[in-house]
Amino acid sequence: MDTRVHDVLLVGGGGAGLRAAIAVAETNPGLSVAVVSKVYPMRSHTVSAEGGAAAVVRDEDSLEAHAYDTISGGDWLCDQDAVEAFVREATREMVQLEHWGCPWSRQPDGRIATRPFGGMKIERTWYAADKTGFHMLHALFQTTLRYPPIKRYDEFFVTRLLVDDGRCQGVVALEVATGKVQALLAKAVILCSGGGGKVFPFTTNANIKTGDGMAMAYQSGAPLKDMEFVQYHPTGLPFTGILITEAARAEGGWLLNKDGYRYLQDYDLGTPSPTPVKRSMELGPRDRLSQAFVAESKAGRAIPTPYGDVVHLDVRHLGEAVIDKKIPFVRELCLKYQKLDPVKEMIPVRPVVHYMMGGVATDLDGATPVAGLFAAGEVACVSINGANRLGSNSLTELLVFGARAGRAAARFAGAQPDPSSALVAQAADEERRLHRDFLGRTDGTERVADIRSEMQQAMEAGAGIYRDEESIQVAATKVAALRQRFRRVALQDSSRTFNTELVSALELSNLLDLAEVILASAAARRESRGAHQRTDFPERDDEGFLAHTMARQGEDGRPRIEFDPVTITTWPPGERVYGR
């Protein structure tokens, strides 16, 4: 087994990971930095983000307004000190990204162009047409090439965190091309591996989004926070789950039921703002729009398809010129994957899982309760998103908290001794486990694909847009049974090189952990708040549940749920406000 040593090691090569790597290199140029990614960084899921990134730039906007929209949109579950830090540093990060080459769209007078986004009462979403994530990731990736201390390990799948004496000191990684298991040691580790949307069957997430960082942190003693809050995006394509960006509605698209009726006018999207601004009803918060879809479907006013009910997103009235200038990628996706032209035809859409508000619990600098382990991006829960993330906050979050985690990890690593020699023995144990449980097994009877499909269906039925005690428990029983079946999984491919079946099995193990935590957290929260809607407890209960769920892995391997208070600094809990 090869052993390599660095000062700071990042797991994940997307927006948060690359921003953190740059921050480490700038904070202490003498540190060796490793970026370990299971795909080539430009294939990280950040590249698929379309609509934009939020930060205050308009004269009529303010940090207080951005913070309030975020906290209200998150149904008062956001930690307000984290939100204040986020909005304060957001604009600086966005300007820095432009200096690194991100081509933000412009107004005719040369100022930054902004568009409205759901739940925000002021236009503050910067965009680069509708390929914002693509351009952001390109700018970050190219910038990392300026820093010689940053070394990449592309297409390495991390299987375990190495923890000794209570401190995280590296990882075990499988090199996909060769099948070699390697020990990568470091004085600090930053998880930037994204979310776990593939725990559900219909998702905008790429196949790589399997919750690996969340699961490994959980297995290593770090708590997972607010995992019951899973956001559905109201406009995904019905078969593939591909996202049709909120920008399509920001530019004036309409949601229509089977009768051609703009049905959202009949639903409560939140209390109207006391200072209303002209906004489309289609730009209500994502959780409320997804819930309205369910009501239309139950009332028989949706359109049945082989992949479930859909409604129509209509952008035809915008005209070809606007579509090609403002949302060209939407047209490209529709032509390629639905064989329709949105200039002439309506787009079938349905809610699909999009984002996890929960993740590895961190402080404002990305530090977890496990010394030496940091996290940033969707894998983390610094708690700026609360119970419902507002669209376009997540790309900015990658920058703000990726930078914060990178600086903090650099300072931590600079004060630590070299990694312990005992870690090599742990890595050897992991290599033996991979052979014993997967590559060397001859008595397995279960298939990865079967277990994964049954898990996804159980999660959709038991913990989808609406859930209750019975549905949660039915799903939990099913997932527990699938966990037992997974112990008998068999691989058809026993080779070492490019064994994608082995990677899929390891990913499934992580997804099963996430499924258990989501269900346990959902069962413990006996109220409805944001993306967590319980039909048996339909009201928000601030007295009993204005708190974060904290899931720790118990000695029996099962989640143990505790509650931590929400940090309130300025804005006491109130009604959610929707500007229109």
Side-chain angles (χ1 to χ4, degrees):
M1 177 188 296
D2 290 342
T3 300
R4 305 184 189 186
V5 181
H6 298 275
D7 293 302
V8 179
L9 183 146
L10 299 101
V11 181
L18 297 182
R19 182 63 188 93
I22 295 167
V24 174
E26 290 182 334
T27 301
N28 187 341
L31 297 179
S32 168
V33 184
V35 177
V36 186
S37 176
K38 70 175 176 180
V39 294
Y40 187 74
M42 282 309 302
R43 297 183 68 84
S44 298
H45 194 58
T46 304
V47 81
S48 68
E50 300 170 37
V56 172
V57 68
R58 295 170 69 95
D59 293 340
E60 65 271 27
D61 201 0
S62 68
L63 301 183
E64 291 75 16
H66 190 183
Y68 183 78
D69 283 353
T70 299
I71 292 162
S72 174
D75 225 347
W76 269 268
L77 201 72
C78 308
D79 282 337
Q80 295 182 13
D81 56 345
V83 174
E84 289 169 336
F86 167 67
V87 302
R88 186 172 59 246
E89 298 173 20
T91 305
R92 181 180 66 202
E93 284 291 329
M94 300 283 277
V95 171
Q96 176 65 77
L97 196 65
E98 180 177 55
H99 293 172
W100 288 336
C102 184
W104 298 119
S105 294
R106 297 282 179 171
Q107 299 180 44
D109 64 3
R111 290 184 298 172
I112 293 291
T114 56
R115 58 170 44 127
F117 247 61
M120 293 197 184
K121 297 185 291 300
I122 297 174
E123 290 187 15
R124 64 171 64 93
T125 298
W126 306 30
Y127 60 94
D130 60 350
K131 295 186 177 181
T132 307
F134 174 87
H135 290 297
M136 288 178 64
L137 195 61
H138 263 278
L140 290 166
F141 179 69
Q142 291 166 357
T143 301
T144 63
L145 302 180
R146 293 167 44 190
Y147 296 94
I150 299 176
K151 176 178 174 55
R152 298 203 323 269
Y153 294 85
D154 297 340
E155 297 186 331
F156 277 67
F157 183 81
V158 175
T159 68
R160 176 178 172 179
L161 300 179
L162 295 174
V163 180
D164 184 57
D165 195 26
R167 182 163 63 94
C168 185
Q169 301 180 56
V171 303
V172 180
L174 175 73
E175 185 179 19
V176 177
T178 64
K180 289 182 62 176
V181 177
Q182 300 199 24
L184 303 176
L185 309 186
K187 298 175 182 177
V189 174
I190 311 175
L191 296 174
C192 303
S193 51
K198 295 303 291 186
V199 77
F200 289 86
F202 291 101
T203 176
T204 65
N205 288 188
N207 284 334
I208 59 174
K209 294 285 286 293
T210 50
D212 309 315
M214 294 180 184
M216 289 188 295
Y218 174 67
Q219 294 155 12
S220 299
L224 298 184
K225 184 178 183 181
D226 293 339
M227 289 297 292
E228 67 271 33
F229 296 104
V230 178
Q231 182 175 80
Y232 280 72
H233 196 290
T235 56
L237 295 178
F239 169 54
T240 60
I242 288 172
L243 174 69
I244 299 300
T245 173
E246 199 159 304
R249 289 173 280 128
E251 297 300 335
W254 300 333
L255 286 172
L256 308 175
N257 66 15
K258 72 174 186 179
D259 303 317
Y261 176 67
R262 289 178 72 184
Y263 60 88
L264 289 173
Q265 61 193 292
D266 297 337
Y267 292 91
D268 174 22
L269 302 179
T271 304
S273 169
T275 55
V277 294
K278 186 178 180 181
R279 294 174 56 83
S280 163
M281 68 184 76
E282 278 80 10
L283 286 180
R286 291 173 176 176
D287 57 339
R288 297 285 174 87
L289 266 60
S290 296
Q291 293 154 23
F293 169 89
V294 173
E296 287 294 295
S297 178
K298 287 184 176 180
R301 294 189 291 268
I303 303 138
T305 77
Y307 309 105
D309 284 354
V310 301
V311 292
H312 280 140
L313 175 61
D314 190 0
V315 297
R316 295 174 298 175
H317 53 283
L318 302 181
E320 186 171 11
V322 170
I323 290 171
D324 284 346
K325 180 180 180 181
K326 295 292 189 69
I327 48 172
F329 195 43
V330 167
R331 190 177 190 187
E332 182 181 336
L333 290 171
C334 289
L335 287 167
K336 284 185 175 180
Y337 295 100
Q338 287 294 136
K339 306 301 180 185
L340 65 84
D341 187 348
V343 171
K344 304 172 183 176
E345 302 165 87
M346 294 188 290
I347 309 167
V349 293
R350 57 160 288 171
V352 290
V353 166
H354 183 56
Y355 188 88
M356 290 185 166
M357 275 70 78
V360 184
T362 74
D363 66 12
L364 271 62
D365 288 324
T368 77
V370 177
L373 181 63
F374 300 78
E378 191 179 354
V379 70
C381 185
V382 67
S383 206
I384 69 161
N385 298 309
N388 173 65
R389 176 178 69 81
L390 293 190
S392 74
N393 266 350
S394 63
L395 286 180
T396 318
E397 179 185 2
L398 299 178
L399 302 174
V400 171
F401 291 102
R404 277 178 160 258
R407 291 191 291 266
R411 292 191 296 268
F412 180 90
Q416 300 303 312
D418 291 337
S420 165
S421 59
L423 300 169
V424 178
Q426 289 187 31
D429 287 343
E430 177 67 0
E431 184 174 32
R432 286 190 287 271
R433 182 186 76 88
L434 295 178
H435 181 78
R436 181 187 70 241
D437 294 350
F438 299 103
L439 292 172
R441 169 170 282 170
T442 58
D443 59 346
T445 57
E446 296 285 352
R447 292 180 57 82
V448 170
D450 293 339
I451 296 175
R452 182 176 57 225
S453 178
E454 292 183 44
M455 173 199 66
Q456 291 172 336
Q457 296 301 326
M459 292 300 291
E460 182 76 16
I465 294 173
Y466 287 99
R467 62 278 293 259
D468 61 23
E469 186 73 23
E470 181 180 1
S471 73
I472 293 168
Q473 293 306 321
V474 168
T477 299
K478 177 67 174 180
V479 169
L482 292 173
R483 171 65 76 188
Q484 294 300 315
R485 286 171 54 186
F486 181 75
R487 295 179 178 178
R488 303 190 299 275
V489 75
L491 303 186
Q492 304 301 307
D493 186 355
S494 59
S495 67
R496 289 280 183 174
T497 58
F498 289 104
N499 191 332
T500 55
E501 189 181 20
L502 172 60
V503 172
S504 294
L506 295 169
E507 291 173 332
L508 177 57
S509 178
N510 292 330
L511 287 170
L512 287 167
D513 274 352
L514 259 61
E516 288 183 333
V517 172
I518 291 168
L519 293 166
S521 301
R525 184 173 292 277
R526 299 164 75 86
E527 66 159 355
S528 289
R529 185 187 297 268
H532 172 72
Q533 292 292 308
R534 289 201 42 169
T535 56
D536 48 350
F537 296 97
E539 301 299 324
R540 195 179 88 186
D541 178 7
D542 288 340
E543 184 175 343
F545 293 98
L546 186 63
H548 301 294
T549 52
M550 305 289 281
R552 290 178 169 83
Q553 190 173 47
E555 293 182 2
D556 60 355
R558 307 283 294 174
R560 179 168 51 85
I561 305 297
E562 300 171 348
F563 288 95
D564 270 8
V566 172
T567 301
I568 306 291
T569 60
T570 304
W571 297 275
E575 291 185 288
R576 292 177 67 182
V577 175
Y578 166 59
R580 60 183 171 192

